[in-house]
Amino acid sequence: MASPSTTSSARSGTPATLLLIVFLAVLWIVFSGKLDPIHLGYGVLSIALVVIMSRSLIGSRSDPLLNEVLARIHWGRALVYPFWLFGQIALANLAVARLVLLPSMPIDPVLLRFKTGMKSPLAKVTLGNSITLTPGTVTLRIKDDEFLVHAIHEDLAAGLIDGSMQRKVAGVFGETEHETIECELIRDAETVRREEGW
Amino acid sequence: MILAIISKVLLAAGCGFLIVGSLGVNRFPDFYSRTHAATKPDTMGLILSMLGLALYDGINLNSAKLLLIVIFVAIGNPAATHALGWAALSSRLMPWFRKGREPR
Amino acid sequence: MSFLAVITALVAVALGLPFYRVVKGPTVFDRLVGVGVAGTKTVLLICLVGFMYGRVDMFIDIAIAYAMLNFLGAIVVAKYLKQTGGEPQ
């Protein structure tokens, strides 16, 4: 995976552009559902147009960041990850459904704040989205490397506090410095006012 | 035959989750807790019911389209919730805590 | 047919419930959460209506467009509120 993107700087735009083309082609064929030359021709034209227009966003030579990230992705783990995540989502839902349906509604919200060593934006986005979808936690803010997470109950955020979720995402993206630097729990309004400077 | 039964079970389960999500949005005490009810049961319910619909008429091109909607919503829903949560936080909306005071 | 009709009715009920939050919600963010929840259910409702009328291919395209609009709308409003600092009242 790593060789084509790192060998020459002139060809550094290749993997991301190629991925974009494959993605758009699959999208076109599924949405149109017709395989005659005219419709495929329209497809080729639109894909070319989109790729040309998005050159400044993705895979241009001036911004090789995305390609470096793509080159370091552990594709085997990336394929398994969605299924693991789906299992987690199912568990999260049963937990939240229980909280909603119990008449006493035993929720005890807590804010979590931790820093992560992950560098690439894609890894941070994946971690943020995964946090939102899994047990009782919603990502509120990602500023640089600091995550602010709202958890509906402390017990449901255990995987985040001990850092197993962060390790999982870091494994997919081949990030090495993934240790949770500190995980701080905020439980009352006074602390929020002091920490945020409201 | 088995496919039809699986499809109906998935549809019913997804529908249940969607109703739980709606109830949660109404029952939870503050905005931040409501985002939990808005994202998780909602996304799960949509995934299950869409899979059920995809299997309803057997597997064909429409199933692939429904699967694409599922992937799009599963990525888009958390992102939208995150954007809203960030906006609420930056406008200084105080979260509700059990032992603390009432939300403003 | 009858099974799909029952499911559609249940989804319609689930679609109606969040509007209580939209009307009541103390802050503008609560209202937006209600709208987002209703939007997700609308995507499913459109697909279900397509299955009931036997025009799945057409209704699925509408559902795709609706899902994208729902997502974009939430992002745009959230960004607007972040910039203007939507007043919690």
Side-chain angles (χ1 to χ4, degrees):
Chain A
M1 287 307 147
S3 49
S5 70
T6 46
T7 42
S8 71
S9 61
R11 287 167 55 83
S12 70
T14 319
T17 314
L18 208 67
L19 208 65
L20 181 67
I21 290 174
V22 170
F23 174 72
L24 289 175
V26 170
L27 216 58
W28 179 275
I29 289 170
V30 170
F31 280 157
S32 85
K34 296 192 176 73
L35 290 174
D36 51 297
I38 292 185
H39 284 90
L40 284 183
Y42 286 148
V44 171
L45 274 180
S46 345
I47 290 170
L49 207 65
V50 171
V51 169
I52 289 168
M53 283 198 300
S54 58
R55 271 193 73 83
S56 57
L57 292 175
I58 183 171
S60 70
R61 247 180 299 163
S62 57
D63 181 25
L65 194 67
L66 187 61
N67 287 305
E68 280 174 22
V69 173
L70 286 178
R72 270 192 289 145
I73 288 184
H74 197 295
W75 289 101
R77 288 184 195 149
L79 279 179
V80 177
Y81 184 74
F83 294 98
W84 176 81
L85 188 66
F86 189 76
Q88 293 293 307
I89 294 174
L91 288 178
N93 274 290
L94 293 176
V96 173
R98 191 183 136 263
L99 287 178
V100 171
L101 294 177
L102 279 181
S104 60
M105 215 168 48
I107 68 169
D108 184 9
V110 60
L111 285 180
L112 304 172
R113 190 155 66 165
F114 64 89
K115 290 191 172 174
T116 173
M118 290 192 214
K119 294 284 181 295
S120 79
L122 193 61
K124 287 187 205 164
V125 166
T126 308
L127 181 59
N129 262 13
S130 306
I131 287 172
T132 302
L133 284 175
T134 47
T137 47
V138 167
T139 314
L140 290 182
R141 185 175 65 193
I142 308 177
K143 200 180 253 176
D144 299 330
D145 55 355
E146 188 196 80
F147 280 64
L148 190 68
V149 175
H150 183 272
I152 202 155
H153 199 286
E154 194 184 328
D155 298 347
L156 290 173
L160 214 57
I161 295 170
D162 68 16
S164 57
M165 180 122 202
Q166 289 93 321
R167 273 195 289 283
K168 196 94 183 173
V169 176
V172 170
F173 287 97
E175 294 267 357
T176 44
E177 300 166 44
H178 55 266
E179 287 303 312
T180 306
I181 295 171
E182 59 204 30
C183 192
E184 185 192 352
L185 272 67
I186 305 173
R187 304 166 187 283
D188 61 293
E190 276 310 310
T191 319
V192 175
R193 279 201 196 94
R194 193 173 61 241
E195 304 265 322
E196 297 290 323
W198 288 355
Chain B
M1 182 59 199
I2 295 171
L3 217 60
I5 293 172
I6 294 175
S7 143
K8 285 184 180 179
V9 169
L10 283 174
L11 268 171
C15 204
F17 274 119
L18 287 178
I19 291 174
V20 166
S22 293
L23 282 177
V25 168
N26 285 329
R27 283 201 69 197
F28 278 163
D30 78 326
F31 163 75
Y32 296 99
S33 330
R34 279 175 203 135
T35 55
H36 290 272
T39 349
K40 280 169 272 260
D42 230 39
T43 312
M44 185 67 178
L46 195 82
I47 291 174
L48 289 181
S49 344
M50 284 297 198
L51 285 180
L53 276 185
L55 297 176
Y56 195 80
D57 278 347
I59 294 165
N60 49 25
L61 187 72
N62 289 329
S63 309
K65 284 187 188 178
L66 285 170
L67 223 59
L68 275 175
I69 299 184
V70 164
I71 293 171
F72 182 80
V73 172
I75 295 173
N77 237 352
T81 305
H82 167 72
L84 260 181
W86 196 335
L89 202 67
S90 60
S91 77
R92 308 188 167 189
L93 184 71
M94 182 58 76
W96 177 88
F97 295 104
R98 182 157 284 278
K99 289 153 214 134
R101 283 149 220 87
E102 291 290 296
R104 321 198 264 153
Chain C
M1 172 60 202
S2 61
F3 176 78
L4 268 191
V6 171
I7 291 288
T8 309
L10 285 176
V11 172
V13 170
L15 175 60
L17 286 175
F19 283 105
Y20 173 75
R21 186 49 62 197
V22 176
V23 175
K24 184 99 189 313
T27 69
V28 66
F29 302 107
D30 293 291
R31 295 174 212 277
L32 282 171
V33 165
V35 170
V37 170
T40 315
K41 273 141 198 156
T42 310
V43 175
L44 182 60
L45 196 68
I46 292 173
C47 291
L48 279 168
V49 168
F51 268 88
M52 282 177 72
Y53 286 109
R55 296 293 311 272
V56 195
D57 44 349
M58 190 175 85
F59 277 88
I60 281 180
D61 291 341
I62 299 172
I64 290 168
Y66 191 86
M68 290 183 174
L69 276 179
N70 190 30
F71 169 68
L72 278 182
I75 294 283
V76 166
V77 176
K79 196 158 174 77
Y80 168 74
L81 286 175
K82 204 169 110 193
Q83 278 177 358
T84 59
E87 290 288 298
Q89 52 240 1

